[in-house]
Amino acid sequence: MESLFDSIGAFVGGVFGLAQGGFDGVNQVMGLLIAVIAALLMKAWKGLWATALGAALVHVAVGVIRPVLDGGAFVLPDLLSLTFWMGVLALFLGYAIVIAVFFLVKSLVTGGGLGHRKAAH
């Protein structure tokens, strides 16, 4: 039974470590701009996961296109490596956290998005 709890603890610790790594990747100027735009475009809380996935994919796309704009060669990331997909998963978790915070602030400022619905009379 202890080994089960140890395994669960190791898994949860790994997920938190991955989220922290993704949060560090998002906590840059480019990542924060992507997160703010994503939070502004998000309509409701149920769209958080799709919005975070879209933001992570935009982050990867900008990372690929940016060197080309600076005069470098077009190089695709190694899509078949586990490290690439772990990085995308970390970005996804980081964007989910940051977009949720920004959307919460947006909801508090605009007065909507927290599940309050006006009664139809």
Side-chain angles (χ1 to χ4, degrees), residues 17-102:
L18 197 59
Q20 182 180 6
F23 183 74
D24 291 342
V26 172
N27 201 11
Q28 306 292 325
V29 174
M30 178 182 73
L32 291 174
L33 285 174
I34 292 171
V36 166
I37 292 169
L40 290 174
L41 294 175
M42 195 166 84
K43 302 286 187 220
W45 283 105
K46 65 181 178 181
L48 176 63
W49 302 117
T51 305
L53 179 62
L57 294 177
V58 166
H59 189 105
V60 171
V62 169
V64 169
I65 294 171
R66 204 164 153 193
V68 174
L69 297 176
D70 292 336
F74 179 74
V75 178
L76 284 175
D78 188 12
L79 298 175
L80 298 179
S81 72
L82 181 61
T83 56
F84 170 76
W85 290 109
M86 292 300 287
V88 171
L89 179 61
L91 282 173
F92 169 74
L93 293 173
Y95 274 115
I97 293 167
V98 174
I99 291 171
V101 170
F102 286 156

